[in-house]
Amino acid sequence: MTTQHPADPTVTAADAGRRTDGWWRDAVIYQVYPRSFADANGDGMGDLEGVRGRLPYLRELGVDAVWLSPYYASPQADAGYDVSDYRVIDPMFGDLADAERLIADAHGLGLRVIADLVPNHCSDQHAWFRQALREGPGSPLRSRFHFLPGKGADGELPPNDWESIFGGPAWTRTANPDGTPGEWYLHLFAPEQPDFNWDSRAVADEFRSVLRLWLDLGIDGFRIDVAHGLVKAAGLPDIGLHDQLRLLGNDVLPFFDQDGVHEIYRDWRLVLDEYGTDPATRRIAVAEAWTPTVARTANYLRPDELHQAFNFQYLGTAWDAGKLRAVVDLTLDAMRPVGAPATWVLSNHDVVRHLTRLGAGLDREQDLRRARAATLLMLALPGSAYVYQGEELGLPEVLDLPDSLRQDPAFTRAKGTGAEGQEGMRDGCRVPIPWSGTEAPYGFGPLPGGPSWLPQPAEWAKLSVEAQTGDRDSTLELYRAAIAARRAHPALGAGDSVEWLEELPTGVLGFRRTAAGQEFVCTANTAEQPVLIPAPGRLLLASTPVTVVEDELLLPADTTVWWAV
Ligand code: NOJ
């Protein structure tokens, strides 16, 4: 039998394995990056109407929820993560009526909608910040941000040694209303993104009100940007080291993962719970929290805090059986005590697409093969999974964008520092999606030959949704089949543990999961050679076409196989 498609008649009943104790616990959540998903009005930039028009595609893909990266009013200094008004949709994306229609249509199709909330910082064009600048030192508005006098004889040095995540100091000096040099303000990201001071009651009140506004509109949950950054250590102490970017995720820094953030999330949980606690309709929140350990991530997921957090440790793990097994164990062991589902993610709008990142970079076919294997492994793990737009098409990172077109502020900030280049820059994973046709923008916008804010490679014509639909060997059909099988098989999705198979050749990862009397086995070969394994059951799905011969399978390199036992 050669197949990558569900072949087991016992697992075709849709939703047989869905959990009843919380829709998010085994949800597949699809990240839409609105600028690059679909452009309904033909201006070269994606918009909410574009997303709405493609909801049936997402329904067919089989995902449970859509997370939309920020759509708020924004000067776009950091692609919308610099919000000037949290209550308004940026005209570039549409308006509130578009958002309402989008939410209504999504709900009509059984899809939930998750908004991206940015509470660590706003835009320097936010009304509060502008007024704080206008009013000068001593203005009560300044206490909503971190304004401080500088050090040195004339205040010419920043208040401390913190570095921006995008490079350079995390402080920018302001000019007083009379034009003389004034106080400095803190921005952990770009200078256009001043950090809020969460000790200010006005900030906390404002965000409670913003949460309710979107919840009232029907939003099913929030992805919380920089959830670990809101509280800064008292006194804003120096770190004493340069290259602080390297410390991120390894050490507790005075601006990240401070214990005080948990009080904020306990408060937000009360707001979310005002909207009901039925597990089928509950409003949820997912933390983007970079912490030194998975155990510290679990702190955000205690029963009275948030519902999920991204698993960046998993995202950062190489395609290596031993390392993958270790991170899976670490994750499940950390989540079990707090009762939160594990989450799994391979790609998002901030990292190199996993096809390119995990691949050897020599041969696209080989890279794709590994990416497909990694995806099938991810979707077999217990808990919830995040899929970033375009990974279901097998899109690679675009590595040759002209500098003049790139918009990532990290790129601009790195210029002249020696850190420039493609590495660590984020435009290459944000190139608009190819939907159909043979001419750019491949259905991203309404007109052949029309604009797209970043150019798409010519070979993406072959990778469009239209080109892949119905092709049983395509990556799109693999995702569709995997998500459908995940819904149908009770031992997939749900759960908080795996039973490792120990008798497998080096480089092969295998685990068993059992639920409702049905068993499922996943085997993944991360090695460079094919290996012979006994077939543990009936072939359910494979990331590379494979053939079982007399109860044995020659499992190819970079291949994951799902089995129904
Ligand atoms: C994380 C977001 O994912 C990223 O795109 C953004 O630049 C930073 N937070 C700052 O908001």
Side-chain angles (χ1 to χ4, degrees):
M1 176 172 45
T2 304
T3 183
Q4 66 167 26
H5 298 279
D8 181 9
T10 63
V11 294
T12 49
D15 287 346
R18 292 348 296 277
R19 287 192 81 105
T20 51
D21 59 350
W23 66 266
W24 64 95
R25 290 186 168 272
D26 62 354
V28 177
I29 300 177
Y30 185 97
Q31 181 187 358
V32 163
Y33 193 66
R35 314 176 132 229
S36 306
F37 190 62
D39 168 21
N41 67 3
D43 64 357
M45 197 52 94
D47 44 43
L48 294 188
E49 273 297 280
V51 179
R52 191 167 74 91
R54 299 294 185 181
L55 289 173
Y57 165 77
L58 297 178
R59 172 70 205 164
E60 205 185 326
L61 184 58
V63 301
D64 300 277
V66 183
W67 147 35
L68 298 162
S69 283
Y71 45 54
Y72 313 99
S74 162
Q76 304 287 322
D78 183 19
Y81 285 95
D82 50 316
V83 180
S84 53
D85 191 336
Y86 292 85
R87 294 180 166 77
V88 169
I89 304 277
D90 196 284
M92 176 174 113
F93 295 129
D95 57 23
L96 270 182
D98 292 339
E100 279 181 299
R101 272 197 297 273
L102 167 57
I103 296 167
D105 280 18
H107 288 170
L109 290 167
L111 294 164
R112 275 123 180 152
V113 183
I114 296 184
D116 205 322
L117 192 66
V118 189
N120 180 67
H121 47 262
C122 57
S123 158
D124 62 350
Q125 298 307 306
H126 189 285
W128 287 2
F129 190 75
R130 287 167 62 101
Q131 195 180 335
L133 281 185
R134 266 198 314 274
E135 291 183 357
S139 155
L141 266 293
R142 291 212 169 191
S143 64
R144 298 178 186 182
F145 301 93
H146 295 278
F147 277 94
L148 280 179
K151 288 184 175 161
D154 298 311
E156 72 281 10
L157 299 172
N160 73 16
D161 68 356
W162 296 359
E163 293 168 4
S164 153
I165 316 300
F166 291 156
W171 296 89
T172 291
R173 193 164 195 187
T174 63
N176 288 320
D178 66 3
T180 56
E183 292 180 326
W184 297 69
Y185 68 91
L186 176 70
H187 52 85
L188 291 182
F189 293 88
E192 295 88 349
Q193 295 167 292
D195 277 51
F196 283 116
N197 177 3
W198 271 85
D199 289 336
S200 153
R201 179 184 286 250
V203 171
D205 288 348
E206 171 67 358
F207 272 92
R208 242 179 261 117
S209 147
V210 168
L211 284 171
R212 289 198 180 98
L213 179 141
W214 292 102
L215 290 166
D216 288 342
L217 215 73
I219 283 290
D220 299 285
F222 298 94
R223 176 259 188 196
I224 304 170
D225 188 63
V226 197
H228 53 302
L230 276 49
V231 171
K232 278 73 180 176
L236 312 186
D238 278 338
I239 293 174
L241 290 170
H242 285 304
D243 253 348
Q244 293 160 12
L245 203 50
R246 286 175 206 282
L247 307 175
L248 295 181
N250 299 317
D251 286 279
V252 177
L253 296 168
F255 49 76
F256 276 169
D257 198 28
Q258 298 293 307
D259 291 338
V261 292
H262 298 290
E263 199 181 314
I264 299 168
Y265 301 128
R266 281 192 284 272
D267 183 45
W268 286 15
R269 178 60 178 259
L270 297 176
V271 175
L272 293 169
D273 286 356
E274 284 167 14
Y275 290 79
T277 53
D278 178 343
T281 52
R282 195 164 197 152
R283 316 293 179 98
I284 67 147
V286 50
E288 185 217 20
W290 309 341
T291 65
T293 61
V294 189
R296 283 197 72 92
T297 303
N299 288 340
Y300 292 73
L301 306 175
R302 289 175 284 201
D304 58 349
E305 295 193 41
L306 308 177
H307 302 80
Q308 287 188 347
F310 295 120
N311 189 343
F312 294 124
Q313 278 84 359
Y314 183 73
L315 186 149
T317 303
W319 179 240
D320 171 286
K323 291 183 177 145
L324 287 163
R325 176 171 171 167
V327 75
V328 169
D329 277 340
L330 202 69
T331 303
L332 295 174
D333 290 348
M335 295 303 138
R336 226 173 277 119
V338 290
T343 69
W344 313 100
V345 61
L346 290 167
S347 285
N348 65 36
H349 65 295
D350 288 332
V351 297
V352 172
R353 283 187 175 278
H354 75 267
L355 182 143
T356 306
R357 197 182 66 240
L358 296 177
L362 298 173
D363 172 345
R364 193 181 167 272
E365 286 313 308
Q366 256 179 322
D367 290 354
L368 177 62
R369 194 181 158 106
R370 184 174 293 180
R372 289 164 56 109
T375 295
L376 222 49
L377 173 63
M378 172 180 86
L379 290 174
L381 292 167
S384 174
Y386 280 80
V387 169
Y388 175 52
Q389 66 178 36
E391 67 171 79
E392 78 278 19
L393 304 176
L395 296 187
E397 183 83 358
V398 179
L399 293 170
D400 57 357
L401 289 168
D403 287 1
S404 59
L405 296 179
R406 290 160 73 184
Q407 296 197 9
D408 181 358
F411 174 74
T412 328
R413 301 267 295 170
K415 263 196 171 157
T417 66
E420 54 266 79
Q422 297 280 342
E423 207 188 321
M425 304 307 162
R426 304 172 299 172
D427 291 308
C429 64
R430 299 175 177 180
V431 173
I433 297 299
W435 291 94
S436 57
T438 52
E439 190 182 346
Y442 309 115
F444 165 66
L447 298 175
S452 68
W453 72 278
L454 284 175
Q456 302 147 302
E459 59 272 21
W460 282 21
K462 292 198 294 285
L463 299 178
S464 74
V465 170
E466 182 183 57
Q468 296 195 39
T469 295
D471 171 357
R472 291 170 62 87
D473 294 329
S474 72
T475 302
L476 176 57
E477 294 298 351
L478 176 70
Y479 271 74
R480 286 178 173 154
I483 296 171
R486 211 180 124 95
R487 274 180 185 271
H489 198 296
L492 271 163
D496 62 5
S497 61
V498 297
E499 183 194 330
W500 296 108
L501 306 181
E502 302 294 353
E503 310 283 304
L504 290 168
T506 312
V508 179
L509 193 67
F511 57 83
R512 183 191 313 277
R513 302 182 54 203
T514 310
Q518 290 193 51
E519 269 183 37
F520 163 86
V521 165
C522 175
T523 48
N525 183 5
T526 67
E528 284 175 13
Q529 303 302 328
V531 290
L532 199 61
I533 59 166
R538 286 185 307 280
L539 187 65
L540 192 55
L541 196 60
S543 64
T544 309
V546 293
T547 308
V548 176
V549 180
E550 292 175 2
D551 289 338
E552 283 190 320
L553 172 69
L554 190 64
L555 181 62
D558 292 334
T559 299
T560 299
V561 178
W562 288 6
W563 309 88
V565 183

